[in-house]
Amino acid sequence: MHQPSFWRPPRSHPLLAAVALVLYSSPAAAYIDPGTGSALFYVVTGLVVSVYFAVRGIYYRAIDWFFRVRHRDQRCEIAIHCEDPRYEITFIPIVHALDAQGIEVTFFTMYPRDNSFETLPNRTVHRAIPEGMMGYAYLNNIEATLLVTTTPQLDVMTFRRSRRVRHYAIVQHALGESRFVRPYAYDHFDSVLCCGPIVKANIRRIESIRQARPKNLLETGIPHYDEMTKAARQAPPLEGEPVVLIAPSWGPLSMFEAFGTGFVKTIAGRFRVIVRPHPQMRVSQPELYSEILGLEGVEVSTDRTPVSALSRAHILLSDISGIAHEFAFIYERPVVVIDRQMKTGGLEGELLGGDSELKQLCRDFIVPVQPTEIDHITDHLEKVLRSHSVETLEKVRSQLVYNFGQAGDVAARQLAELYAVEKTGASIGTREVHA
């Protein structure tokens, strides 16, 4: 029978042939010694795992192909990617500042935006894309001159570089250091908009250890501090008896995971209390989240942003949550943290070694308390309230945070210059972007 001219005999695939031999071989009554049986077990296991990853790879490639074909006409100049509503506060100051410069932006969100969100500027176009892997498949195939995100580990996990994006930049959404992020968090970005000098020094050290190509590290700051500072200045002055805000992180190092909720009742016996469970608890620890919502004699805050709770608190009790630095530096009020030892195994801290520089520099107003002291936590709260010094806090803040209160404008200028450099075809190495 005549075959079409484009027909070719199918090529045999060694993996499929091996699977076929295992699945379709005829039964035999031969004796198999234990050693041979063990070897066969590992062969079959290896084949099954290989098939799984082969199929998964085909699935991912199919999704990538779909977005290349389906959305090949979707392109932009400056793309901003926001993976979760709680990170919008990072980008809002930036898009407004870019709009003031007459620069158009496409704002990609992995969630829908309704009227409850702040209105975007006229030159900012919003596009909602799917969440999770489907959304990253979309991003992995867009065409843009500059892509900006808060999501780390580019080209490590699902988030891959698109061949049609010239420059990738990451802006940090919290004050921190590189020691508590996963390996290669910033390695494959072209530019990092650094929050402060510690993370900048950490990245340079990691580059030296790995002998990696130096990135463009910009002295930016934390844009969402701008918005929170404005809100803090508009808040009414504190009155009445002290209010303790309890706002820990989530997961195995969370105070609620370690101690339960009983300590809240102890604190409520001496102070007014607001409890703000971490939003991720609702997803990852639903039973504990429900228990917190049912606490009696305290106020539980579940607002989209923590601004209202922060503005009404005299002191914060937390653990490893980034909210500690927000409360201290924006509201200039003290924090007590349960000082549980953070393990850096599997994180960049394992490569950097040593202890947290940030923790040491902030210990006068973000005061660490040992977990064994949880039964006496009210005594520690009272002591820290009495000894708090705003002057000490302001001095440390000026050393640790770039461009406090103006980071949104600075970030916009830096991104505009990165965009201009890429459009002219110059390299960052030949034309330095201003820090």
Side-chain angles (χ1 to χ4, degrees):
M1 182 176 67
H2 177 69
Q3 299 290 350
S5 59
F6 58 81
W7 183 87
R8 296 287 186 275
R11 294 189 304 169
S12 63
H13 195 291
L15 176 60
L16 295 179
V19 173
L21 286 173
V22 171
L23 295 180
Y24 298 107
S25 57
S26 59
Y31 166 77
I32 300 179
D33 65 79
T36 305
S38 178
L40 286 174
F41 171 77
Y42 284 113
V43 169
V44 174
T45 302
L47 288 172
V48 171
V49 171
S50 298
V51 170
Y52 166 75
F53 282 107
V55 171
R56 195 176 76 158
I58 294 171
Y59 175 57
Y60 286 168
R61 287 194 293 273
I63 291 176
D64 280 349
W65 176 85
F66 168 78
F67 281 112
R68 281 199 298 270
V69 174
R70 175 69 179 83
H71 300 285
R72 61 178 179 269
D73 59 336
Q74 294 193 3
R75 59 187 65 175
C76 58
E77 290 297 319
I78 298 179
I80 291 181
H81 159 238
C82 188
E83 65 174 326
D84 190 273
R86 66 180 181 270
Y87 299 131
E88 280 217 5
I89 194 172
T90 294
F91 292 118
I92 290 299
I94 296 175
V95 295
H96 279 289
L98 287 170
D99 183 74
Q101 297 181 50
I103 298 175
E104 295 182 356
V105 170
T106 304
F107 191 50
F108 294 94
T109 64
M110 288 179 159
Y111 51 88
R113 296 182 91 253
D114 54 29
N115 293 333
S116 65
F117 287 83
E118 181 174 340
T119 302
L120 296 173
N122 292 332
R123 294 183 180 86
T124 300
V125 176
H126 172 242
R127 288 183 187 166
I129 62 177
E131 63 179 340
M133 195 263 292
M134 291 285 287
Y136 284 112
Y138 181 103
L139 290 175
N140 297 347
N141 292 285
I142 71 169
E143 181 175 343
T145 301
L146 174 64
L147 188 147
V148 188
T149 183
T150 62
T151 304
Q153 290 200 295
L154 175 68
D155 249 14
V156 177
M157 303 296 285
T158 309
F159 189 15
R160 313 294 295 182
R161 291 183 71 106
S162 169
R163 289 175 294 178
R164 291 172 287 278
V165 174
R166 295 185 188 177
H167 196 99
Y168 280 85
I170 182 169
V171 57
Q172 295 177 307
H173 62 265
L175 180 64
E177 46 194 322
S178 291
R179 106 179 25 260
F180 299 120
V181 297
R182 293 176 180 175
Y184 310 101
Y186 307 123
D187 284 39
H188 301 294
F189 284 93
D190 302 298
S191 294
V192 180
L193 280 65
C194 299
C195 58
I198 291 179
V199 75
K200 184 176 181 180
N202 287 166
I203 293 174
R204 286 292 184 234
R205 184 151 179 258
I206 290 171
E207 289 173 343
S208 176
I209 293 171
R210 292 194 177 124
Q211 298 184 342
R213 176 182 60 86
K215 287 171 285 301
N216 188 40
L217 302 184
L218 304 176
E219 297 179 0
T220 306
I222 309 171
H224 83 262
Y225 277 16
D226 302 2
E227 299 298 298
M228 296 186 74
T229 301
K230 292 176 186 176
R233 290 171 180 165
Q234 297 172 359
L238 294 174
E239 296 179 350
E241 61 181 294
V243 175
V244 177
L245 171 60
I246 303 173
S249 186
W250 65 279
L253 292 177
S254 167
M255 290 164 50
F256 288 129
E257 181 72 21
F259 309 117
T261 59
F263 70 93
V264 177
K265 185 180 294 186
T266 302
I267 298 173
R270 198 178 300 185
F271 298 99
R272 289 186 294 161
V273 173
I274 302 174
V275 179
R276 180 173 174 80
H278 194 284
Q280 186 63 33
M281 289 184 69
R282 185 176 58 183
V283 177
S284 303
Q285 299 167 294
E287 293 182 3
L288 186 54
Y289 187 81
S290 298
E291 182 180 341
I292 294 168
L293 294 182
L295 287 171
E296 297 181 358
V298 302
E299 177 186 342
V300 180
S301 168
T302 58
D303 296 343
R304 180 184 295 159
T305 71
V307 171
S308 175
L310 291 169
S311 66
R312 292 181 289 131
H314 294 73
I315 188 169
L316 170 69
L317 176 61
S318 189
D319 42 40
I320 62 171
S321 175
I323 200 173
H325 296 104
E326 293 176 357
F327 185 75
F329 289 146
I330 293 167
Y331 293 89
E332 299 180 346
R333 299 169 195 166
V335 181
V336 171
V337 292
I338 302 301
D339 190 24
R340 301 188 71 196
Q341 185 64 39
M342 282 202 64
K343 298 179 180 179
T344 56
L347 302 175
E348 292 285 41
E350 191 171 14
L351 184 68
L352 290 168
D355 198 4
S356 168
E357 300 100 319
L358 200 57
K359 172 183 170 182
Q360 296 301 321
L361 290 168
C362 296
R363 64 185 305 115
D364 286 336
F365 48 88
I366 302 180
V367 182
V369 172
Q370 292 300 310
T372 53
E373 290 292 302
I374 191 66
D375 292 337
H376 308 287
I377 194 64
T378 52
D379 296 332
H380 290 283
L381 292 167
E382 288 183 341
K383 179 181 178 181
V384 172
L385 276 169
R386 288 195 305 267
S387 61
H388 179 58
S389 168
V390 174
E391 292 76 15
T392 300
L393 187 151
E394 290 175 337
K395 182 179 179 180
V396 175
R397 181 179 64 192
S398 67
Q399 298 170 353
L400 293 182
V401 184
Y402 291 136
N403 304 303
F404 179 76
Q406 302 173 342
D409 290 336
V410 173
R413 289 197 300 271
Q414 292 168 341
L415 293 174
E417 189 166 354
L418 287 174
Y419 172 70
V421 168
E422 292 294 346
K423 288 296 287 185
T424 60
S427 68
I428 298 300
T430 59
R431 178 181 171 186
E432 186 68 23
V433 173
H434 296 157

